[in-house]
Amino acid sequence: MSLEVLVVDDEADIRELVSGVLEDEGYQVRTAGNSTEALDAIEDRRPQLALLDVWLQGSKLDGLQLLEEIKRRDKTLPCIMISGHGNLDTAVAAVKAGAVDFIEKPFEAEKLLHLVERATETQRLRRENEELRAQAGQEDQLNGSSASLNAVRATLKRVAPTGSRVLITGPAGVGKEIAARTIHQWSTRAAAPFISVSSAMMDPDRVEEELFGTEKDGVSTPGLLEQAHGGTLFLDEIADMPATTQAKILRVLTDQSYTRVGGQRPVKVDVRVLSATAKDLQAEIDAGKFREDLFYRLNVVPVRIPPLNERREDIPVLVEHFLARFAAERRIKPPRVSDEALAALQAHDWPGNVRQLRNIMERTMIMMPGDRAECIDVDLLPAEVTDGKASGGITVTSSVAIMGSPLREARENFEREYLRIQIRRFSGNISRTAAFIGMERSALHRKLKALGIQDKRGDK
């Protein structure tokens, strides 16, 4: 959905003409015939631009007075003045009062569109820059070709154009916000704002002010919901939202309206709400910390992003992606990763998921000696990857332990550790493990039994 323009003119024919021109170019348009209707419309919901007739016959305020009142309430709202009796003095007065431009009747449609585009360009660029900054360091975290991630992408593609609410779950660092941005980008709202808010990071005493905005002494400040009009509001860490705010969000989801803090007038918005959490919402409901009715409103389409240790086959793709990006930033050739280093990366548990992998690869590139910049070997990886204990008690084999054991025992220890790591690397898939290490599947089964390794028959 595109930018919204408020057209204020005392002539119905002019309002209809201007509205038609703008709507044909994809703008949303509201109209007002006098200053009272105009101020009411702005209070109902802030537009991205106002077109004001200078004279406004029969209105409480003329166009210039209305411009001054609008600027008193909101200095950031761009306004263009329209006049059928324009002169230089009027144009100068309008610009001094805060108008961004001035156009005389009769005017050509092309000139009007040019002025509107120019007046809204700053706001459009500001929004795009904010979104780009928000995405920095997060893009493409859903990279990978695993079956589980392909299933997630298929769900996102199906739900994106529907307008349905989506609840995205998964542990920290898996890319829940990236999934939400993907839904927005694949939807019909892609040209409108994507506003992301972390309930966990917001001041509990100011959550409602930030979400719903404020109204005091006739001056209103738009909240995040109003800023997201026509687009998408992403509520991250929804489980951490205060109970009083949960009730108000429920009303927004029900009738798309709310009141600003300190205000009385209902604000109507058209916003798609996406939400995410790393917590078990059912447990939060049972503990009385989260509203069950809000859960069912948000959880129209549930999407679970699997943790990285459930899709280890995506790790090589992610590693290549991150190294290429960091190398491009430093204007160097991306290093390759040795088979041993890649095996260690795939065997690691990754409690911090994709975010942790990204940080590890960035740190490794920074710390690489200059004479070894072409290849990342296992000894260049941080100790948390190579020395840490993984789930199930698996540890990296110690050369000291091997040297202190008889040959047969050392060989068995090595084989046991090697096979455990490879099986973990391929997520328990015995067929793929056997193919990689060069054994027949039946022989691998026998070897696992002989070494006392539990065989879960993870063939897929």
Side-chain angles (χ1 to χ4, degrees):
M1 301 182 72
S2 56
L3 299 175
E4 187 175 67
V5 179
L6 176 64
V7 178
V8 185
D9 199 292
D10 55 16
E11 297 182 54
D13 290 345
I14 296 296
R15 295 197 299 270
E16 183 177 350
L17 172 64
V18 174
S19 297
V21 170
L22 294 176
E23 288 172 347
D24 287 345
E25 293 299 314
Y27 291 96
Q28 285 188 310
V29 181
R30 287 185 289 157
T31 62
N34 55 56
S35 62
T36 302
E37 292 179 3
L39 293 173
D40 285 345
I42 293 172
E43 287 301 307
D44 287 341
R45 186 176 62 250
R46 180 189 184 278
Q48 277 74 50
L49 173 69
L51 294 175
L52 309 177
D53 179 33
V54 169
W55 298 111
L56 289 181
Q57 298 294 328
S59 175
K60 182 178 179 180
L61 303 176
D62 65 27
L64 290 177
Q65 292 170 328
L66 175 58
L67 172 64
E68 292 174 354
E69 178 62 19
I70 289 174
K71 289 298 180 179
R72 185 186 73 81
R73 299 184 180 198
D74 184 352
K75 293 181 180 180
T76 66
L77 177 58
C79 300
I80 296 176
M81 304 305 295
I82 304 175
S83 175
H85 310 283
N87 56 52
L88 183 59
D89 291 340
T90 305
V92 170
V95 172
K96 282 185 176 180
V100 296
D101 226 316
F102 187 92
I103 186 172
E104 294 183 56
K105 304 175 187 175
F107 49 76
E108 296 181 355
E110 289 77 9
K111 183 176 181 180
L112 174 66
L113 291 172
H114 173 70
L115 293 182
V116 168
E117 182 177 358
R118 189 168 67 183
T120 58
E121 183 178 13
T122 299
Q123 186 163 346
R124 194 194 310 267
L125 290 174
R126 184 185 300 116
R127 189 184 75 205
E128 290 177 355
N129 287 337
E130 288 173 353
E131 292 184 1
L132 287 172
R133 282 196 298 270
Q135 294 180 56
Q138 299 180 2
E139 63 271 26
D140 297 331
Q141 288 188 14
L142 292 181
N143 275 359
S145 57
S146 61
S148 58
L149 196 62
N150 285 338
V152 168
R153 276 196 291 260
T155 300
L156 299 184
K157 192 169 186 178
R158 288 176 67 90
V159 75
T162 67
S164 297
R165 290 184 286 275
V166 180
L167 176 61
I168 305 168
T169 58
V174 293
K176 296 187 291 294
E177 182 171 343
I178 299 304
R181 289 184 181 276
T182 300
I183 292 173
H184 175 73
Q185 291 162 5
W186 288 351
S187 75
T188 57
R189 299 171 180 262
F194 177 93
I195 303 295
S196 176
V197 53
S198 173
S199 303
M201 297 297 291
M202 297 178 77
D203 183 346
D205 297 329
R206 299 196 68 251
V207 170
E208 293 183 21
E209 293 182 7
E210 294 190 41
L211 282 177
F212 305 119
T214 61
E215 194 170 319
K216 184 178 180 181
D217 298 331
V219 178
S220 59
T221 302
L224 296 174
L225 271 164
E226 200 166 346
Q227 295 174 34
H229 174 68
T232 302
L233 179 69
F234 174 57
L235 299 174
D236 198 7
E237 301 301 340
I238 190 72
D240 296 319
M241 180 170 286
T244 55
T245 310
Q246 291 179 32
K248 293 193 175 184
I249 284 291
L250 183 63
R251 180 186 172 189
V252 174
L253 298 179
T254 303
D255 58 15
Q256 295 274 293
S257 72
Y258 59 92
T259 55
R260 301 186 186 98
V261 176
Q264 302 294 326
R265 184 193 303 272
V267 179
K268 298 285 290 185
V269 291
D270 174 17
V271 174
R272 182 182 193 177
V273 176
L274 306 176
S275 54
T277 182
K279 293 184 178 180
D280 182 349
L281 281 187
Q282 189 58 58
E284 296 293 306
I285 292 170
D286 294 341
K289 297 179 180 179
F290 197 79
R291 294 180 62 113
E292 188 171 16
D293 48 1
L294 178 57
F295 170 74
Y296 289 119
R297 288 281 184 181
L298 295 172
N299 195 36
V300 176
V301 180
V303 174
R304 175 182 177 270
I305 310 296
L308 191 55
N309 60 21
E310 290 184 12
R311 51 186 183 98
R312 298 176 189 274
E313 56 267 51
D314 290 338
I315 290 176
V317 178
L318 288 164
V319 167
E320 182 179 1
H321 166 72
F322 289 135
L323 291 179
R325 195 171 80 206
F326 298 143
E329 291 173 358
R330 300 171 64 183
R331 295 188 174 132
I332 62 175
K333 182 180 178 181
R336 64 182 182 85
V337 182
S338 71
D339 293 342
E340 293 78 10
L342 193 57
L345 291 169
Q346 287 186 285
H348 188 59
D349 259 350
W350 299 111
N353 294 291
V354 179
R355 185 182 299 136
Q356 183 189 10
L357 175 62
R358 176 193 181 278
N359 292 343
I360 289 292
M361 300 321 299
E362 182 175 14
R363 187 196 319 170
T364 301
M365 280 200 65
I366 292 172
M367 302 303 294
M368 285 179 65
D371 59 346
R372 299 184 60 186
E374 293 185 359
C375 179
I376 296 177
D377 211 337
V378 68
D379 65 315
L380 295 180
L381 296 176
E384 64 188 274
V385 174
T386 59
D387 293 342
K389 177 179 280 191
S391 61
I394 300 174
T395 58
V396 177
T397 302
S398 167
S399 59
V400 175
I402 292 176
M403 292 302 295
S405 304
L407 176 60
R408 180 175 178 178
E409 182 180 338
R411 184 171 60 239
E412 288 182 355
N413 287 338
F414 172 79
E415 288 181 343
R416 185 179 294 110
E417 191 75 5
Y418 172 80
L419 291 175
R420 281 177 173 169
I421 290 175
Q422 294 298 347
I423 290 171
R424 277 184 61 79
R425 179 183 182 185
F426 293 105
S427 304
N429 189 311
I430 300 299
S431 295
R432 292 182 60 196
T433 304
F436 177 80
I437 67 177
M439 290 183 70
E440 292 290 337
R441 188 177 59 184
S442 58
L444 178 55
H445 284 309
R446 291 193 298 272
K447 174 64 74 173
L448 295 176
K449 184 177 180 180
L451 293 173
I453 300 175
Q454 185 179 5
D455 178 6
K456 297 181 180 180
R457 299 281 171 173
D459 296 338
K460 298 178 183 178

